[in-house]
Amino acid sequence: MSELIYPQPVKAKFFTPGMIIVSLIALNGIVFLAIRFLFGIGAVTNLNNQYPWGIWIGVDVAAGVVLAAGGFVSAAMGHIFHLPYMKLVVRPALLTAMLGYTFVAFAVFVDIGRWYYIWHPLVMWNGTSPLFEVGICVMIYLTVLYIEFTPILTERFRGKVNLPSILRVFNGLVEWILKLLDNTLGKVMFLFLIAGVVLSTLHQSSLGTLMVIAGYKMHPLWQTPILPLLFFISAVCVGIPMIIFESLIASRSFKIEPEMHVLSKIAGYVPLLLGIYLAFKLGDMFIRQSFVYMTEINKFSIAFIIEIVFGVILPMIMLMSRRVLNSPFWLFIASALVVLGVGINRINNFIIAYRPFYAKSAYIPSFGEISVTLGCIALTVILYRAIVMIFPVISLPKQDDLKELKHNRG
Amino acid sequence: MDEKVKNQNPRRTFLKQFAVGTAASVGVSLIPTKTEAKFKDTQRENETRMGVLFDATLCAGCRNCERACKVAHNFPVDDIETFRDRSVYKEYRRPSPNNYTVVNEFPPSGVATFPIDVKVQCMHCNEPACASACIVGAFTKHASGAVTWNSDMCIGCRYCMVACPFQIPTFEYDKAIQPKIQKCDLCFERTKVGKIPACVENCPVGALTYGPREELLLLAKEKIERHPDKYYHHVFGEYEVGGTSWLYVAPVEFSELKFPPVGDSPAPGVTEAIQHGIFAYFIPPLALFSWLGGVMYVNNRKNKKIENEANEGEKK
């Protein structure tokens, strides 16, 4: 195997059968999005005055933010702590974070009743509101992510600017702008890298603070003043599994060799992080004595057990085994469990645990809500595929080597 | 040799640095800061604070208050006869976007021999969760006690509805443009010009009393003292969620009348303590920033040294 691998645009067919299905899901979501914007939130969702927040917040925003945590975790590990083998996964993780947060911002835009006032928090500040803090942090962090991505853009086009026909006169100008961007950003990028990590720490934890104010309306298995800490630790936990998860999917989809030597190394950290999370989660449970609610068998105790057993304990044990770490299949399963587990945790916190006193029946998302959520995820997948095919994000062996490799295999 | 230096247990270094950093940031955020919520002067208990006392032993469930409220807020109003229809009491009702207040009826129990009617509307908390939670600060707690909502600021995120311990704010889900958060405003516009809230003015049996909150509390306690057999010995709203402008006295325990199981601590208390802890004058975020910067600098230098040594080694 060639050791000379570097990020480069992936060459593959865009519309594979899988991608056609993804596109159909996206189209279906767009239909319901149109209904939402034409006739209001009530026309598409099952939300009411007792359940003001549904899956657009619980899944799109809360789970979306935490599953984009790979960006700040890899930035911290690669750029700040300088773990040598992180280099290969920093760019894909950055792209996921950038697209993930764009997806989150769009979900907020769809969910708020007055989408055209989405800029209000920029000028109307309420320091006591954790939602304000999350909003501001996410807005700044999204900007930081775009800035962090800029070098990839300049790398792709610098020295190759070739605008069609009349626009050709601007070639020099664009080239000059790219050069300027490259040079200035190179000098100050470290500020943005650190800022990205700080901003993530802040809003990942404040996302947990959001539900604290719901007080007794939230089931005691989840309602705790240390929710911000739990949210932050779980975000750190899910960062690496998310990187592994998407890296393995990408290698499969683009038919490239998975970077097992990197993936199994970084997966080695995960059991420890999950252990810390589990200790806090169970410690909190014992201090608040909320374990009494585990004796009743209802949707709360079942949801809690699924979250802890399948999302934390099982992958923790799995990832302690060498065999799992070295097998792409088992590594994928274990990472997917953590990703799903943390996702379920966010859904539990924002949707399952929320049981308003005056609700007549529990909230169940409508077909329209699910369509919009799936549609937005599908759009993100399409964008991801398009970007890795245009920009140098995924690390591959040199083109010639690749051809040879394929040739030999074929 | 070089390879060895490069891979000198990066995991251990990482974990060490990670642990130190986490401990440091937790330590910094534990530095005692003023965690008691800082409220504006208007939010503190004062003489101008008004309120309404509701006496469930007097309310007859005529729903005049419901109608008067709709008239006062320019909502479409049905004929007075429709409000005489008591079949609505079959179902427990909640306020809605064009119904700031509703009356519910409960079967007689305990000392009460008649059905018990209870009016529901915004409680106008002393420390309102909606105002604390609102992303843009669209809610205002006025010196008069009223908690009002500002349509020019609201972005429609509905976090106030998540936060409210009484589940009062309602949202116009059927509107695509300018949906409003709707809730009782304690007739802010009327009281500004010296009138009393419409519901109080139109109550034919005197079940509602408008006045300074302090005086209403005395009145409520006097009622209970004078007729200890008629009342459950508790004024709901005196201490609940830190006190509310609306106060209730009733013949039975409030949990029987579907009052929510709220405690005495203000609803935004814990959240604001956390917020002030994380953002104590921006010290913890800045501390984290500089610590990460330091780690990055040290690691960068270490890496350069290794690279230089490697280069020199190659030259030799």
Side-chain angles (χ1 to χ4, degrees):
Chain A
M1 257 302 283
S2 167
E3 283 296 318
L4 285 168
I5 50 175
Y6 58 93
Q8 53 187 289
V10 181
K11 291 209 166 59
K13 201 176 148 205
F14 192 81
F15 281 106
T16 57
M19 285 307 286
I20 291 170
I21 296 172
V22 170
S23 309
L24 290 177
I25 295 173
L27 276 179
N28 177 53
I30 290 170
V31 171
F32 284 97
L33 269 179
I35 301 175
R36 177 260 171 270
F37 282 109
L38 288 175
F39 303 106
I41 295 171
V44 177
T45 67
N46 276 349
L47 298 176
N48 54 41
N49 288 325
Q50 306 313 322
Y51 286 98
W53 281 1
I55 58 168
W56 288 355
I57 294 294
V59 176
D60 300 22
V61 175
V65 164
V66 78
L67 296 187
F72 93 95
V73 173
S74 69
M77 289 172 73
H79 295 297
I80 294 175
F81 293 97
H82 274 279
L83 300 183
Y85 37 78
M86 286 304 292
K87 293 238 160 59
L88 289 176
V89 291
V90 160
R91 279 189 175 189
L94 169 63
L95 176 60
T96 322
M98 189 179 90
L99 289 178
Y101 276 92
T102 310
F103 163 77
V104 166
F106 183 69
V108 171
F109 179 76
V110 172
D111 184 79
I112 63 173
R114 300 166 167 194
W115 41 271
Y116 39 85
Y117 282 169
I118 197 165
W119 52 274
H120 272 189
L122 284 176
V123 285
M124 302 168 189
W125 293 10
N126 184 12
T128 57
S129 167
L131 188 62
F132 168 73
E133 193 216 315
V134 171
I136 287 287
C137 274
V138 167
M139 278 195 235
I140 305 175
Y141 185 48
L142 190 56
T143 316
V144 167
L145 284 170
Y146 284 135
I147 293 172
E148 284 180 31
F149 196 78
T150 313
I152 301 176
L153 187 115
T154 56
E155 183 185 315
R156 169 71 176 78
F157 290 118
R158 228 182 123 179
K160 293 174 218 158
V161 177
N162 189 11
L163 297 167
S165 63
I166 267 185
L167 292 172
R168 207 174 302 148
V169 287
F170 296 112
N171 276 355
L173 182 71
V174 174
E175 197 70 65
W176 181 79
I177 291 173
L178 288 179
K179 192 180 154 197
L180 188 76
L181 267 178
D182 228 8
N183 292 347
T184 26
L185 278 181
K187 282 180 195 124
V188 292
M189 189 52 91
F190 73 99
L191 285 176
F192 290 108
L193 287 168
I194 304 171
V197 176
V198 175
L199 286 164
S200 293
T201 309
L202 291 176
H203 73 253
Q204 291 285 3
S205 50
S206 287
L207 214 55
T209 321
L210 278 191
M211 292 310 279
V212 170
I213 204 167
Y216 73 92
K217 289 191 276 179
M218 202 178 167
H219 194 275
L221 276 174
W222 288 276
Q223 179 64 284
T224 159
I226 68 157
L227 261 182
L229 185 63
L230 292 176
F231 265 53
F232 173 67
I233 302 176
S234 53
V236 175
C237 284
V238 84
I240 297 170
M242 191 65 198
I243 294 170
I244 298 172
F245 180 75
E246 56 177 285
S247 172
L248 288 174
I249 289 184
S251 349
R252 200 183 154 79
S253 174
F254 292 123
K255 297 185 179 61
I256 46 186
E257 200 68 22
E259 301 292 346
M260 285 307 288
H261 61 290
V262 178
L263 299 185
S264 52
K265 241 181 216 142
I266 56 174
Y269 294 116
V270 177
L272 181 79
L273 293 170
L274 283 176
I276 296 173
Y277 177 60
L278 191 67
F280 272 102
K281 189 101 180 160
L282 296 184
D284 167 66
M285 196 175 174
F286 279 93
I287 288 169
R288 289 184 305 111
Q289 301 187 337
S290 63
F291 49 80
V292 295
Y293 298 96
M294 298 299 289
T295 55
E296 317 159 10
I297 294 181
N298 51 26
K299 70 169 179 179
F300 301 111
S301 54
I302 293 172
F304 191 83
I305 287 177
I306 291 177
E307 174 194 325
I308 292 291
V309 174
F310 293 99
V312 184
I313 298 176
L314 186 61
M316 185 173 82
I317 296 170
M318 282 175 78
L319 289 169
M320 283 194 273
S321 136
R322 270 273 132 221
R323 259 188 60 204
V324 170
L325 289 180
N326 291 329
S327 139
F329 174 76
W330 287 110
L331 190 58
F332 180 78
I333 297 291
S335 307
L337 280 175
V338 182
V339 169
L340 278 177
V342 174
I344 290 172
N345 169 263
R346 296 307 192 259
I347 294 169
N348 282 347
N349 271 300
F350 279 83
I351 297 170
I352 305 283
Y354 191 71
R355 26 139 232 194
F357 188 69
Y358 296 111
K360 284 187 179 130
S361 58
Y363 157 82
I364 294 162
S366 69
F367 181 72
E369 277 177 279
I370 297 172
S371 295
V372 169
T373 295
L374 290 180
C376 291
I377 296 172
L379 279 175
T380 314
V381 170
I382 294 173
L383 274 176
Y384 186 96
R385 194 173 173 90
I387 291 177
V388 295
M389 287 174 67
I390 299 172
F391 295 102
V393 174
I394 294 183
S395 289
L396 299 170
K398 254 188 186 167
Q399 277 309 314
D400 317 337
D401 301 349
L402 196 70
K403 267 180 206 154
E404 218 166 86
L405 214 69
K406 269 187 184 166
H407 190 74
N408 289 346
R409 265 196 210 157
Chain B
M1 165 69 199
D2 293 328
E3 206 48 35
K4 235 183 193 171
V5 178
K6 222 177 227 172
N7 291 336
Q8 193 187 39
N9 248 332
R11 186 179 302 179
R12 189 179 294 168
T13 337
F14 167 66
L15 290 175
K16 219 195 294 170
Q17 287 169 335
F18 183 75
V20 170
T22 315
S25 7
V26 169
V28 169
S29 36
L30 287 182
I31 290 174
T33 50
K34 282 179 204 155
T35 45
E36 76 262 33
K38 291 167 215 146
F39 284 101
K40 292 171 212 143
D41 278 344
T42 52
Q43 278 173 288
R44 258 189 234 113
E45 191 74 32
N46 56 36
E47 290 128 36
T48 60
R49 167 89 30 108
M50 303 296 274
V52 180
L53 173 64
F54 174 85
D55 188 338
T57 64
L58 297 176
C59 179
C62 71
R63 294 170 62 210
N64 269 11
C65 52
E66 282 186 29
R67 188 172 190 279
C69 176
K70 281 180 171 246
V71 174
H73 294 96
N74 301 320
F75 291 133
V77 189
D78 282 330
D79 195 52
I80 185 103
E81 288 312 310
T82 51
F83 285 88
R84 293 288 167 268
D85 176 17
R86 296 186 81 97
S87 68
V88 294
Y89 289 139
K90 278 181 202 148
E91 214 182 323
Y92 182 80
R93 297 184 303 150
R94 294 294 300 166
S96 60
N98 46 24
N99 227 7
Y100 289 171
T101 182
V102 290
V103 178
N104 286 299
E105 194 164 85
F106 297 86
S109 82
V111 289
T113 45
F114 291 103
I116 307 163
D117 295 287
V118 179
K119 183 179 178 296
V120 178
Q121 76 297 306
C122 173
M123 298 292 287
H124 298 276
C125 305
N126 289 352
E127 292 172 32
C130 53
S132 169
C134 179
I135 183 168
V136 288
F139 288 92
T140 314
K141 174 77 179 172
H142 296 276
S144 68
V147 177
T148 63
W149 166 85
N150 182 349
S151 185
D152 294 334
M153 299 171 84
C154 178
I155 66 167
C157 72
R158 311 187 294 285
Y159 189 35
C160 50
M161 300 165 72
V162 173
C164 177
F166 299 101
Q167 285 165 255
I168 287 302
T170 58
F171 180 73
E172 296 179 320
Y173 285 100
D174 52 341
K175 283 204 181 147
I177 295 291
Q178 258 346 51
K180 289 199 279 281
I181 291 289
Q182 297 279 51
K183 70 165 200 71
C184 161
D185 57 359
L186 203 57
C187 280
F188 187 64
E189 295 303 322
R190 286 172 59 95
T191 54
K192 237 183 2 196
V193 293
K195 292 190 204 163
I196 64 171
C199 53
V200 180
E201 191 179 77
N202 286 276
C203 179
V205 292
L208 296 169
T209 317
Y210 180 71
R213 187 176 181 271
E214 292 290 281
E215 284 176 30
L216 292 177
L217 267 175
L218 293 178
L219 175 66
K221 285 174 182 167
E222 200 185 293
K223 279 185 180 213
I224 296 174
E225 238 167 72
R226 208 178 282 170
H227 300 284
D229 49 326
K230 243 177 91 182
Y231 291 99
Y232 178 71
H233 292 207
H234 181 71
V235 182
F236 190 96
E238 182 179 13
Y239 298 114
E240 274 78 8
V241 294
T244 57
S245 276
W246 275 70
L247 302 165
Y248 282 76
V249 286
V252 294
E253 218 174 312
F254 288 94
S255 58
E256 284 182 44
L257 305 174
K258 280 215 168 195
F259 277 69
V262 292
D264 287 351
S265 45
V270 181
T271 302
E272 292 194 1
I274 295 172
Q275 283 296 96
H276 291 219
I278 296 179
F279 280 99
Y281 308 102
F282 274 95
I283 295 170
L286 287 175
L288 181 63
F289 192 97
S290 19
W291 171 69
L292 287 174
V295 171
M296 198 176 185
Y297 177 74
V298 169
N299 282 335
N300 266 344
R301 237 178 38 173
K302 218 189 283 171
N303 265 28
K304 262 194 196 133
K305 222 176 178 182
I306 294 170
E307 264 170 40
N308 286 344
E309 276 170 17
N311 286 343
E312 270 168 36
E314 265 169 36
K315 270 175 206 164
K316 273 174 196 170

